Amino acid sequence: MEWIICRSVAIGNCASRMGRFGNENAYETAIDSLDNLLKNCPELKEKAGKKIEELVKELSLEAKVEHDVKAVVSQLDPVEKIRKGFQEFKAHFKKEQTLFKALAESQHPKWMIIACSDSRVDPALVLGLGLGEAFIVRNIASLVPPHSKESGHSSGASAIEYAVLHLKVEHIMIVGHSRCGGIKALLGMKEDGSNRFSEYIEDWIAIANNASKTAKAKCSHDSPFEDQWTCCVKESVNVSLWNCMSYPFVKEAVQQKKLALHGAYFDFVNGDFQRWALNYRVDEPESL
Ligand SMILES: [Zn+2]
């Protein structure tokens, strides 16, 4: 028992040092409460000891995972990594001359994919799409701004225009993903904008403001934040799907059944991928 308490104190020291940046008081308060409880109810000491031991194991595992990830990443020289990667590609290039000669002349991708810039969600890698198979746009939180007469410098709008009018892609898929930082920031934004912290990101993610409102309305206050986060990612994909439809050339291609729109959610925590379709139809006029 003494050993267990000593170990918990060691964590306490560590937590205290980190406390300058975290919530130090929460830890101290919990330890004080536990001490008081055990003074009054010493029969609970054994049970408390076991629970503390479990906590120590859990935290040790977390610390080890973080350490292992950092160790793997720091081993790799970034320039050497891409040099090796290209050498592998070059071997593939030499073997697949028929494919690369055809690709050198033109591209005919069937898919346009709009995904997040997050380094963990490369859609071509996840969906097994090779060169020439998908026209891809990536940005913060996989968002599509609505059509606007003021063209400005919209990389997303110009890419959609090129994909639909010139490449004539048959499918556009917008892929949201688990633990998206852009969507987390969106959920943390106050409606009056009083907690703004960045110059560009917040204006960009505000495209999905309605998704944030929907997710907050759908999830009860006591549900875990992760549920609200997941819901908001999926709703933001839906907002972007409808924004896609605001481009006249997209709407026309969908109405003519030359183009299908899909939403998707890539869950890299559980290794899951969900896809859904935007079913858009215009009814025949009927006399009233
Ligand atoms: Zn993201």
Side-chain angles (χ1 to χ4, degrees):
M1 188 62 204
E2 280 306 308
W3 177 78
I4 293 165
I5 292 294
C6 285
R7 289 192 70 186
S8 73
V9 168
I11 293 169
N13 291 339
C14 178
S16 295
R17 283 196 299 277
M18 292 172 69
R20 271 175 243 167
F21 308 102
N23 188 352
E24 182 178 359
N25 290 341
Y27 173 79
E28 301 296 345
T29 307
I31 290 295
D32 287 347
S33 303
L34 180 65
D35 270 350
N36 286 336
L37 178 69
L38 295 183
K39 268 177 207 156
N40 293 329
C41 311
E43 71 277 10
L44 290 176
K45 274 190 175 179
E46 193 180 337
K47 200 170 178 182
K50 280 180 186 160
K51 284 195 180 287
I52 290 168
E53 196 170 17
E54 279 168 22
L55 179 65
V56 169
K57 274 185 196 159
E58 194 183 311
L59 293 179
S60 303
L61 191 66
E62 244 177 62
K64 185 180 178 322
V65 168
E66 200 176 326
H67 175 269
D68 289 351
V69 168
K70 281 182 183 163
V72 168
V73 172
S74 64
Q75 273 173 14
L76 307 170
D77 173 69
V79 176
E80 193 52 35
K81 165 83 183 153
I82 62 166
R83 186 177 286 128
K84 271 189 176 171
F86 185 69
Q87 292 309 320
E88 282 169 23
F89 168 77
K90 215 167 168 182
H92 173 61
F93 180 83
K94 283 179 183 163
K95 255 197 251 169
E96 302 287 345
Q97 274 300 291
T98 312
L99 169 68
F100 284 102
K101 277 184 179 154
L103 286 178
E105 296 306 317
S106 59
Q107 57 167 330
H108 302 284
K110 294 198 183 306
W111 286 94
M112 176 183 194
I113 297 181
I114 298 165
C116 185
S117 302
D118 191 303
S119 64
R120 301 164 292 181
V121 297
D122 183 338
L125 200 67
V126 170
L127 299 171
L129 295 166
L131 293 180
E133 291 186 298
F135 191 71
I136 298 177
V137 168
R138 296 179 69 179
N139 61 42
I140 298 286
S142 355
L143 298 175
V144 175
H147 174 256
S148 165
K149 294 259 188 246
E150 297 161 23
S151 57
H153 293 100
S154 177
S155 69
S158 60
I160 294 170
E161 186 179 57
Y162 189 72
V164 174
L165 293 183
H166 301 280
L167 296 176
K168 300 190 186 309
V169 296
E170 294 168 15
H171 303 271
I172 294 179
M173 180 158 65
I174 300 171
V175 184
H177 69 93
S178 50
R179 299 184 176 175
C180 180
I183 297 299
K184 189 178 187 184
L186 174 68
L187 282 168
M189 274 168 64
K190 288 187 179 163
E191 281 187 22
D192 62 2
S194 58
N195 62 339
R196 286 180 65 91
F197 64 89
S198 71
E199 187 177 353
Y200 294 108
I201 296 170
E202 289 178 3
D203 283 344
W204 174 251
I205 56 178
I207 291 169
N209 268 344
N210 282 341
S212 173
K213 285 178 193 160
T214 307
K216 284 173 182 170
K218 273 186 175 177
C219 294
S220 62
H221 289 300
D222 53 355
S223 61
F225 176 74
E226 194 106 12
D227 290 355
Q228 196 182 82
W229 198 356
T230 303
C231 178
C232 193
V233 170
K234 292 179 180 176
E235 290 299 333
S236 75
V237 169
N238 291 335
V239 166
S240 287
L241 284 171
W242 286 112
N243 285 347
C244 257
M245 287 296 288
S246 67
Y247 293 83
F249 44 87
V250 172
K251 189 174 175 181
E252 194 182 329
V254 171
Q255 283 174 338
Q256 292 175 350
K257 299 193 186 313
K258 291 177 179 167
L259 176 66
L261 300 188
H262 312 257
Y265 179 77
F266 171 45
D267 179 348
F268 58 64
V269 179
N270 299 302
D272 190 32
F273 193 98
Q274 298 172 337
R275 182 196 66 83
W276 61 93
L278 177 72
N279 289 316
Y280 175 85
R281 73 190 178 107
V282 177
D283 288 340
E284 290 299 316
E286 62 174 27
S287 300
L288 299 178

